């Protein structure tokens, strides 16, 4: 299940980042030192790096600045189709610790956000919808900017309840026991 909400021009990057951080750290008490944020940097060099989001991660939160990292189109640019609304996104990941890496014994493996092991789990995606992609592929700035947030409900519950699997949470255990 995905927890989410939309802002249709009511708020934008600054508030979305601040409120996500406050909910995760102040309300739910997640360890700030285990949280990582990703922001968009176009590996093709065609679109601007989302320094606005990166700056808000630094000014609106007390995240470790070394935990703000950049990824390209695959991980940090959201599009729902070949045309239509789209834009950069900022993901929030949680470090489950080295013990969560199932590839520890692989000699060339390096754990990392958006890596191929289970150490880092994506909790939340803040999509900053600021463009419209036309049929020609061009990106046109939208007249109003929007935010679409999506947080993984079962992932958050598992993390908050200190279990390794969604199926070990109080969401599923009663059903499975029955």
């Amino acid at each position: 299940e995905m927890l989410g909400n939309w802002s249709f021009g009511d708020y934008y990057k600054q508030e979305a980042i601040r409120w996500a951080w406050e909910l995760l750290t102040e309300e739910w008490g997640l360890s700030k030192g285990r949280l990582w944020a990703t922001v968009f940097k176009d590996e093709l060099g065609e679109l601007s790096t989302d320094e606005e989001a990166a700056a808000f991660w630094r000014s609106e939160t007390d995240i470790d600045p070394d935990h703000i990292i950049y990824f390209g189109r695959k991980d940090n640019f959201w599009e729902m189709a070949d045309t239509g609304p789209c834009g950069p996104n900022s993901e929030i990941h949680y470090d489950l610790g080295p013990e969560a890496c199932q590839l520890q014994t692989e000699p060339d493996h390096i754990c990392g956000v958006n890596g191929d092991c289970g150490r880092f789990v994506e909790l939340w995606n803040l999509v900053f919808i600021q463009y419209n992609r036309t049929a020609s592929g061009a990106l046109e700035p939208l007249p109003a900017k929007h935010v679409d947030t999506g947080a993984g409900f079962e992932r958050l519950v598992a993390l908050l309840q200190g279990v390794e699997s969604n199926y070990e949470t109080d969401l599923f255990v009663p059903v499975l026991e029955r």
Side-chain angles (χ1 to χ4, degrees):
E1 293 293 324
M2 190 67 80
L3 299 172
N5 67 288
W6 281 81
S7 163
F8 294 103
D10 296 327
Y11 61 86
Y12 199 48
K13 294 178 186 182
Q14 182 177 19
E15 296 87 355
I17 288 169
R18 182 176 64 240
W19 293 336
W21 185 258
E22 286 174 5
L23 183 59
L24 291 172
T25 63
E26 295 175 25
E27 298 301 321
W28 290 339
L30 294 183
S31 171
K32 294 176 182 182
R34 289 183 172 234
L35 289 167
W36 291 71
T38 66
V39 295
F40 176 69
K41 181 175 184 176
D42 189 8
E43 70 274 19
L44 302 178
E46 296 172 356
L47 300 171
S48 299
T49 298
D50 193 358
E51 290 299 343
E52 181 182 24
F56 287 137
W57 277 109
R58 289 187 291 274
S59 70
E60 299 299 312
T61 76
D62 54 352
I63 192 171
D64 179 341
D66 292 335
H67 287 199
I68 304 167
I69 53 181
Y70 296 84
F71 284 94
R73 292 174 184 234
K74 176 180 171 279
D75 294 301
N76 281 98
F77 194 87
W78 178 85
E79 302 177 86
M80 63 181 233
D82 292 336
T83 62
C86 58
N89 64 342
S90 189
E91 297 175 335
I92 305 169
H93 296 256
Y94 192 82
D95 182 357
L96 298 172
E99 61 278 3
C101 173
Q102 71 273 25
L103 301 174
Q104 296 178 50
T105 59
E106 300 292 324
D108 296 330
H109 175 70
I110 299 172
C111 290
V113 171
N114 289 327
D116 56 356
C117 72
R119 178 171 175 174
F120 293 88
V121 61
E122 180 188 337
L123 297 177
W124 202 325
N125 190 351
L126 305 169
V127 178
F128 306 122
I129 302 171
Q130 63 190 61
Y131 300 113
N132 181 55
R133 185 174 300 277
T134 66
S136 71
L139 291 176
E140 297 175 346
L142 289 170
K145 297 176 181 178
H146 312 291
V147 179
D148 174 12
T149 67
F153 180 61
E154 290 95 344
R155 291 178 185 182
L156 284 163
V157 172
L159 185 61
L160 292 169
Q161 292 182 3
V163 296
E164 294 181 20
S165 163
N166 297 344
Y167 300 105
E168 298 173 54
T169 67
D170 63 7
L171 298 169
F172 291 102
V173 169
V175 174
L176 295 172
E177 287 177 349
R178 183 171 173 154

